[in-house]
Amino acid sequence: MSTENEGNAVPPAPSAPPVPVETPAASAQGASYAGSAPTAPIPAVPGAPEHASAPVGGPAYASDGAGQGADPYGQAPTQGSAPEAGWPPPPPVTPSYADGGGSGAGGWGSSYQQPAPKPRNGRGGLVAAVLVAALVAGGVGGGIGYSLAKNDDDSTDSTTVSAPSSSGEVKRASGTVANVAAGALPSTVTIEAQSTNGEGGTGTGFVFDKQGHILTNNHVVADAVDGGKLTATFPSGKKYDAEVVGHAQGYDVAVIKLKNAPSDLKPLALGDSDKVAVGDSTIAIGAPFGLSNTVTTGIISAKNRPVASSDGSASSKSSYMSALQTDASINPGNSGGPLLDASGAVIGINSAIQSSSSGGLGGSGQSGSIGLGFAIPVNQAKYVAQQLIQSGKPVYAKIGASVSLEEGTGGAKITEQGASGASAVESGGPAAKAGLKPGDVITKLDGMVVDSGPTLIGAIWTHKPGDTVKLTYTRDGKTHTVDVTLGSREGDS
């Protein structure tokens, strides 16, 4: 499966629609501001003009999608492999903004015509006296009505119940979404990365340790790697400059460090992604479309989902993961944010989304949540982060063979030739020692079905160099099984 990662630039947030304007005669009630709740309709005042304003619809936003790419873990196949021209394909067309709305006018009541005054006569005093008496009676009646209403509200027959004023703050039980979010948000940051030419975007990260290291995605900070600007902002509003400690394009993991980091940092607890089960609750935190500190919920939809993602640039190599799939809403800007379990422990790093290839505005695709989000398992991310902090470079496990990235091969097929004319099977490497040859099709790794080259790459990278895995492959129509001790490769080149 090929998806797009999401760390795109964010359009401005839409403004709130205006509310109906009050009548001039009612201006003493106070002006109503945009963004506040509409007030109740006010009856028209005698002689005053009627006036109403319909709200104008705000723009609906969509983000551009990203393309796909491929990198057969450092050994790009040449002849006999999948055509590289297909990796990455061109990105989908960017949808335009959508605006809508209208205006109109209408009264909130029929107009009132003052009756013509009657001719004055000798009984004018009597009329005035009657009017005064009526006003007094009306005041008495109003007072009696208020008293009766108050007494009725205080009676034991009232059907409404009010919360005690001394109840204090609401206490939320451990394990609730609100409780988990309250504990995790202070340790989550919104990252802004900017290249030397001013390009960049927004993503998310979270506190990894007390020394000020922040764990995020490689594609979130890629713009700031070569002399760019990088900042991290906490929900409290405190903003820190940061620097890239190390980044792994293949894993799509990066570590940055806060400059002048505060001493009270609280790292998020890391869970065990191997123990996650399909159906477990998930909580995602991020800055979708620039809306920082956004919390969404869902479940684990699948495990070990093979995903190849790319930022869509011509020079970009793909990232491969055996991902956790979740239906928690993930959008551009959520990249690098934590995916939490019900206890608040990090089980993954939100990294990629699958977007609809059709539909949307004007018939073009939209880069947005359709319930298919993918996260790097935290066990893998933790290992990569530790390597980056120690040496600044990633270390990849490998079998020492180039495989085709072509779909429909029934597995991961070892190509006839490697990169730049080199042998497809590295001499003296793990695959060669296990007896693998060009043309062999690897169909399983430790019993897990392998349906393509990207699936094999993602599965291998969940392991560490020196691990022994069991590979099942076919050759000349016969199935074989062999143990392979994984080698290592340092760096992204």
Side-chain angles (χ1 to χ4, degrees):
M1 174 183 292
S2 179
T3 65
E4 55 193 37
N5 54 36
E6 17 74 41
N8 303 338
V10 181
S15 61
V19 297
V21 179
E22 297 178 350
T23 60
S27 59
Q29 300 294 329
S32 178
Y33 296 90
S36 63
T39 57
I42 303 174
V45 179
E50 299 169 0
H51 185 194
S53 177
V56 179
Y61 295 87
S63 176
D64 57 310
Q68 301 167 335
D71 173 18
Y73 51 95
Q75 292 179 297
T78 55
Q79 299 178 5
S81 66
E84 300 235 343
W87 293 80
V93 178
T94 304
S96 59
Y97 296 111
D99 291 283
S103 63
W108 288 326
S110 59
S111 60
Y112 176 83
Q113 298 296 330
Q114 180 73 23
K118 294 182 179 181
R120 297 179 60 87
N121 54 33
R123 292 185 295 175
L126 177 60
V127 172
V130 172
L131 289 175
V132 172
L135 289 175
V136 172
V140 173
I144 295 174
Y146 168 78
S147 177
L148 290 175
K150 183 177 185 304
N151 292 338
D152 183 66
D153 185 62
D154 294 337
S155 69
T156 58
D157 295 333
S158 176
T159 58
T160 60
V161 179
S162 300
S165 58
S166 60
S167 59
E169 295 183 1
V170 177
K171 294 183 178 180
R172 292 171 175 85
S174 176
T176 61
V177 174
N179 182 270
V180 170
L185 277 169
S187 299
T188 306
V189 298
T190 298
I191 298 173
E192 294 182 28
Q194 191 176 64
S195 65
T196 52
N197 61 9
E199 296 181 353
T202 302
T204 310
F206 61 92
V207 178
F208 183 69
D209 59 27
K210 293 184 178 181
Q211 285 69 49
H213 291 109
I214 304 293
L215 191 55
T216 185
N217 281 144
N218 170 72
H219 73 264
V220 168
V221 303
D223 286 324
V225 169
D226 298 319
K229 182 181 180 181
L230 196 64
T231 61
T233 306
F234 286 85
S236 63
K238 292 183 178 179
K239 190 173 186 177
Y240 297 86
D241 289 330
E243 59 184 354
V244 178
V245 173
H247 61 105
Q249 188 173 35
Y251 291 121
D252 197 19
V253 172
V255 175
I256 67 175
K257 188 174 183 180
L258 304 178
K259 296 180 181 179
N260 301 316
S263 59
D264 58 349
L265 289 175
K266 296 181 180 179
L268 290 183
L270 304 182
D272 187 347
S273 52
D274 290 339
K275 295 182 179 179
V276 171
V278 173
D280 281 351
S281 297
T282 58
I283 301 170
I285 299 179
F289 297 103
L291 301 174
S292 301
N293 316 315
T294 295
V295 177
T296 56
T297 63
I299 62 168
I300 292 293
S301 304
K303 295 179 62 177
N304 302 317
R305 185 70 78 191
V307 172
S309 64
S310 170
D311 63 10
S313 64
S315 60
S316 173
K317 295 181 180 180
S318 281
S319 302
Y320 297 93
M321 66 186 89
S322 186
L324 297 174
Q325 180 182 329
T326 180
D327 67 348
S329 182
I330 295 176
N331 287 287
N334 274 105
S335 280
L339 185 69
L340 310 169
D341 63 15
S343 70
V346 180
I347 54 175
I349 301 178
N350 302 319
S351 181
I353 58 175
Q354 179 71 42
S355 292
S356 175
S357 59
S358 62
L361 301 176
S364 60
Q366 291 189 76
S367 178
S369 176
I370 58 172
L372 294 173
F374 304 96
I376 302 167
V378 74
N379 290 6
Q380 178 183 9
K382 177 183 177 181
Y383 164 73
V384 177
Q386 291 171 339
Q387 292 289 336
L388 294 176
I389 292 172
Q390 290 173 8
S391 67
K393 295 182 179 180
V395 177
Y396 297 91
K398 69 173 187 176
I399 62 170
S402 291
V403 296
S404 172
L405 302 180
E406 189 177 353
E407 298 289 342
T409 56
K413 183 178 180 179
I414 299 178
T415 59
E416 297 297 329
Q417 195 173 40
S420 303
S423 174
V425 179
E426 178 186 329
S427 178
K433 291 179 180 178
L436 293 171
K437 300 178 180 181
D440 290 346
V441 179
I442 300 172
T443 57
K444 289 183 180 180
L445 187 150
D446 287 339
M448 185 188 80
V449 174
V450 173
D451 58 2
S452 66
T455 301
L456 177 64
I457 298 170
I460 289 175
W461 284 355
T462 63
H463 294 273
K464 301 175 183 178
D467 288 351
T468 298
V469 297
K470 188 179 295 295
L471 295 180
T472 300
Y473 66 96
T474 60
R475 178 189 297 169
D476 299 328
K478 295 182 179 180
T479 300
H480 308 272
T481 300
V482 65
D483 289 337
V484 177
T485 300
L486 301 176
S488 66
R489 172 174 64 83
E490 186 178 89
D492 278 314
S493 60

